[in-house]
Amino acid sequence: MVLLRGTEPARIWRYDFSSEPGYLATDSSSHVNASAAYGTNAVGLQGVLSHSATSGGTPNFYVDDARGGVGQHGILWRQNTSGATAAANCGQDIMYACWGQHTESMSYWWSTGRVWTLTEWAADSAGHWTGTDNAIPQRVLFSVPLSSMDSSLS
């Protein structure tokens, strides 16, 4: 998946895997071509995971919105070609902001059914990058079952 981040709505590309585990499918010239492209009205996305419940089925896209400030949790959305179907609801003051802080990517490990993500943030206490001397590391690798993500989506 490739996302464009900024102030404009994101575009999402989907790629097929090859029969050799861990590689993307290539054409006869060894080029990797997107198998589908989608537009979304979402802005500011950092990571996306495409998953179909059945082989060849309609994919759901799990996207994370990494909100910008220090200590702000992200928002997890599930979208498909019909539109955004839900956002995780964790019942806090900002009831949809319960995903990891500043998550950058998502990866699905099919043999365990778990989604892995990595938070990516290092800034000073004011949320500004001033170099490594004043950085407060906040990088965390974590995983959750895809089934629990689905059950948390309202």
Side-chain angles (χ1 to χ4, degrees):
M1 290 284 155
V2 176
L3 289 179
L4 299 178
R5 181 170 168 81
T7 59
E8 297 296 318
R11 293 178 299 242
I12 301 170
W13 290 268
R14 188 165 200 237
Y15 296 88
D16 290 330
F17 286 108
S18 75
S19 57
E20 188 174 345
Y23 291 94
L24 295 176
T26 59
D27 63 17
S28 60
S29 299
S30 298
H31 293 113
V32 175
N33 297 305
S35 59
Y38 304 93
T40 177
N41 290 329
V43 174
L45 301 180
Q46 288 285 349
V48 69
L49 169 71
S50 172
H51 182 266
S52 298
T54 60
S55 178
T58 301
N60 281 318
F61 297 96
Y62 300 85
V63 297
D64 56 20
D65 176 0
R67 299 165 58 234
V70 173
Q72 290 186 340
H73 286 271
I75 300 172
L76 177 68
W77 297 88
R78 180 180 57 208
Q79 299 180 344
N80 56 36
T81 54
S82 299
T85 58
N89 182 336
C90 51
Q92 298 172 356
D93 291 338
I94 302 174
M95 64 194 248
Y96 295 110
C98 51
W99 190 240
Q101 294 181 22
H102 314 287
T103 53
E104 293 288 325
S105 63
M106 287 187 281
S107 181
Y108 180 67
W109 191 347
W110 65 270
S111 64
T112 63
R114 297 186 72 87
V115 174
W116 288 84
T117 190
L118 174 68
T119 63
E120 173 65 32
W121 186 262
D124 64 17
S125 60
H128 301 102
W129 176 252
T130 57
T132 56
D133 293 341
N134 299 319
I136 301 169
Q138 298 178 13
R139 295 182 179 155
V140 178
L141 173 67
F142 67 94
S143 75
V144 295
L146 179 62
S147 59
S148 70
M149 286 172 47
D150 278 332
S151 65
S152 75
L153 296 166
S154 56

